[in-house]
Amino acid sequence: MGTEHKDAAAATDAARPARAPTALLTCAMAFSMMQLFLLGALGPRLVDELDVSPTLLGLTTTVGFGAAAVLSPVGGRVVDRVGPRRCLVALLLVSAVALALIGSAPGAGLLLAAVALGGLPQALANPATNKAILATVPPERRGSVTGMKQSGVQLGAFAAGLPLAALAGVAGWRGAVWTAAGAAVVAAAWAARTLPRDVPRVGSSTPGARSSLVPRGAIAWLAAFSLLLGCGIASVNTYLSLYGTQRLGLGPTAAGALVAVLGVAGVAGRVGWSKVAGQPARAVWLPGGLAAGAVGAALLLAAASFAHPLAWVAAVAVGVFAVAANAVSMVLVMQRATPGRAGQDSALVSAGFFAGFAVGPPLFGLLAESGRYGTGWLLVAVEFAGACAVAVWWAVRDRGGVKR
C-alpha cells in the first residue's frame, strides 16, 4: 500500500505542473489573435467613430494576417532554435503593445500599423505552443491538450464579442482595447514565472530538413487545406458582427454576441474534435468532414437574410466545424512533423492559414461594400468546399496511415 500510495502521489505530482502550462498556452493563443477579434466585434463602432469603411475593415485583417503569413516560416525556425518559453513571453508582450497602439489610433494609418505588428504574435503562436506540448505532454494526451490550447483562439473571440464589447458600451471602444492590453502584460509575467526554462539547442538530427522553407508531404496538404479554410473563417470573423447590424437589425452589443457564440461553439468543437484526432487513423479523415459541415454553416448565414434567427445557428455551426478543423490540422502537424522541426512545420501550415486570412476578407469586403452579403456567404461556402476537396483528396491518397 505504501508503494502504491507513493506511485499515485508521483503521478499526481507529474500531472499537476501540466495544468498551469496548458492554461497558459490557451491564454497565449487567445492573445495572439485578440486584436483581430476585437476589430471584428467592435467593427460597427470603428466604422462610425473612425470613419472606417467596410472595405478598410477587411484590409486590417489582410494586413495582420499578411504579416503573419510572411513571418511564420521565420518564426517557426526561431522557436526551434530559441525555445518556446522565450517566444511565448515575447508573443504576449508584443500583443500588449499592438493592442495599446490600436486603442491609441487616431485614424486608419496607425490602426493598420498596429495590426501589422500584431502579425508577429500570430506567427509565433502555433510553433511555440506546439513545441511546448511536444516537450512536456505525453503522446496519448497531446490531442486533448492541443484542442484545449487551440480553443484559446475562440476564448479570445468570446472575450472580444461579449465582455469586451459590453465594456466598450460603458468605457468606449478604446477603453476596452486598453483593458485587453493590460491583461496581456499580466499574462506575459505569468508565462515568465510558470513555464520551464528553455533547453539550449545543441544540434538536430535533420539539419538539411531544417533549412527548407517549402512544405512537403502531409505538411504541404495541410498548408493548402488551411489556406482555403482560413479564407472562409476570416471572412466570418471580420464581417459577422457588421452583418448583424446592417442586415439583421441587431444592435452593436447583440451583434458582438454573435461573435461570442461562435467563440463558445469553437471552444467545444476544438476540444472535442481534437481529442478524436488523437487517434491518427481517424485524424486524417476529420478535416474533410469538418469542412463539409462548414459549407452548410456558410449557407445558413446566407439564408439568415430571410430568416434572421438562422444567424445564431450558423455561428454555432461555424465554430463546431470550420474553427474546429483548424485545431485538428494542428494535431495532424504534430503527428506528421519531421523530427527536430516541429516548430518549422507548424509554422508552414500556419502560414497557409494566415495567407487565407489575408486573402478572404478583402474579397468579402468588396461584396459587403455593395450590400451583397448573400453573395459573400456563398463565396465563403465555395472556399470551405475547396478545403473539403483538398482534405478528402489527401485522405484518399494517405489512406489513413501515419507515414509522411
Side-chain angles (χ1 to χ4, degrees):
M1 289 295 292
T3 303
E4 292 176 1
H5 178 74
K6 290 180 180 179
D7 290 343
T12 301
D13 290 341
R16 186 179 294 118
R19 292 175 185 167
T22 299
L24 181 56
L25 297 180
T26 303
C27 183
M29 292 298 296
F31 278 110
S32 71
M33 289 178 56
M34 179 66 75
Q35 69 273 14
L36 293 172
F37 282 126
L38 277 171
L39 290 175
L42 303 177
R45 290 182 169 89
L46 292 172
V47 168
D48 292 339
E49 295 185 29
L50 289 185
D51 196 24
V52 174
S53 69
T55 301
L56 185 59
L57 187 64
L59 185 59
T60 62
T61 302
T62 300
V63 169
F65 283 102
V70 171
L71 294 171
S72 281
V74 176
R77 183 176 293 179
V78 168
V79 171
D80 280 335
R81 292 182 177 178
V82 174
R85 179 178 179 270
R86 294 186 183 95
C87 289
L88 285 168
V89 172
L91 179 162
L92 291 163
L93 290 176
V94 175
S95 294
V97 173
L99 287 165
L101 289 174
I102 289 172
S104 304
L110 184 56
L111 184 68
L112 292 175
V115 171
L117 177 63
L120 179 58
Q122 296 168 60
L124 293 173
N126 278 316
T129 54
N130 286 355
K131 192 88 171 178
I133 288 172
L134 286 173
T136 61
V137 178
E140 65 273 12
R141 293 188 57 233
R142 287 173 185 167
S144 59
V145 173
T146 300
M148 183 60 68
K149 70 95 175 175
Q150 289 294 131
S151 74
V153 176
Q154 298 319 120
L155 289 174
F158 174 80
L162 196 58
L164 288 174
L167 178 61
V170 177
W173 70 268
R174 295 184 191 274
V177 176
W178 285 331
T179 299
V185 173
V186 173
W190 180 25
R193 289 174 58 88
T194 301
L195 293 175
R197 293 183 180 275
D198 294 315
V199 178
R201 181 170 179 164
V202 295
S204 172
S205 59
T206 56
R210 188 176 69 249
S211 62
S212 174
L213 296 179
V214 179
R216 293 183 172 85
I219 302 304
W221 285 99
L222 287 168
F225 169 78
S226 297
L227 170 66
L228 292 164
L229 187 72
C231 285
I233 293 176
S235 296
V236 177
N237 286 344
T238 305
Y239 289 102
L240 181 59
S241 180
L242 202 60
Y243 177 56
T245 59
Q246 293 188 347
R247 286 291 176 271
L248 305 183
L250 300 176
T253 301
L258 271 176
V259 180
V261 166
L262 188 158
V264 172
V267 170
R270 287 187 162 191
V271 172
W273 289 118
S274 294
K275 188 173 182 179
V276 175
Q279 303 177 41
R282 290 185 180 182
V284 72
W285 296 100
L286 278 178
L290 294 175
V295 173
L299 295 177
L300 283 174
L301 281 172
S305 294
F306 307 99
H308 295 179
L310 288 178
W312 300 94
V313 180
V316 171
V318 170
V320 169
F321 295 112
V323 172
N326 173 247
V328 168
S329 72
M330 284 295 111
V331 177
L332 283 162
V333 168
M334 286 189 283
Q335 291 172 352
R336 307 303 182 92
T338 301
R341 53 171 283 161
Q344 185 71 33
D345 284 347
S346 298
L348 291 174
V349 174
S350 295
F353 190 61
F354 295 147
F357 266 63
V359 171
L363 297 177
F364 194 105
L366 294 174
L367 298 170
E369 190 81 23
S370 58
R372 298 164 62 190
Y373 278 99
T375 304
W377 299 129
L378 292 178
L379 173 62
V380 170
V382 170
E383 291 162 350
F384 286 149
C388 179
V390 169
V392 171
W393 179 254
W394 170 56
V396 169
R397 288 169 58 94
D398 189 86
R399 297 192 183 280
V402 295
K403 295 181 180 180
R404 285 177 58 84

